[in-house]
Amino acid sequence: MSAAGKRYMGKVAKVGCVLCAHLGRDKVAATVHHLRAGQGAGERASHFLTIPLCPDCHQGPNGLHGNRSLMRIAKLDELDLLALTIEALNP
């Protein structure tokens, strides 16, 4: 991982969970999720194509790696979450 990619992912993680924020929840600490849109099986997107998500929104049963019901409730997909991330990084 490049130093620039590592710095960027650190900034993304500090934003807090963008899905929780969109759903009106309190700011929640986040880790980064690499976009899957446009990626083949076993491939990982660039470190610059990452989204900050809390553990529940990321890997919970209703999260992105679960049944995705939180995303359906919010009416968002991964690219929408990326746009929210970019917006949060550039207030």
Side-chain angles (χ1 to χ4, degrees):
M1 174 186 323
S2 71
K6 188 173 183 175
R7 280 192 310 274
Y8 182 78
M9 288 196 317
K11 290 177 187 178
V12 167
K14 288 180 184 177
V15 167
C17 181
V18 291
L19 184 51
C20 281
H22 184 79
L23 292 170
R25 297 178 179 175
D26 292 334
K27 185 173 181 175
V28 180
T31 58
V32 296
H33 164 75
H34 288 80
L35 260 69
R36 295 292 307 142
Q39 302 302 309
E43 292 181 354
R44 176 177 273 179
S46 163
H47 298 309
F48 292 95
L49 295 174
T50 52
I51 302 164
L53 295 170
C54 69
D56 187 44
C57 290
H58 190 191
Q59 296 176 318
N62 300 316
L64 194 68
H65 290 290
N67 66 18
R68 294 183 169 228
S69 61
L70 290 173
M71 292 178 62
R72 284 192 299 279
I73 290 167
K75 297 180 181 173
L76 300 173
D77 62 19
E78 281 187 311
L79 292 178
D80 295 320
L81 294 174
L82 179 61
L84 290 172
T85 301
I86 294 167
E87 183 178 349
L89 289 169
N90 296 283

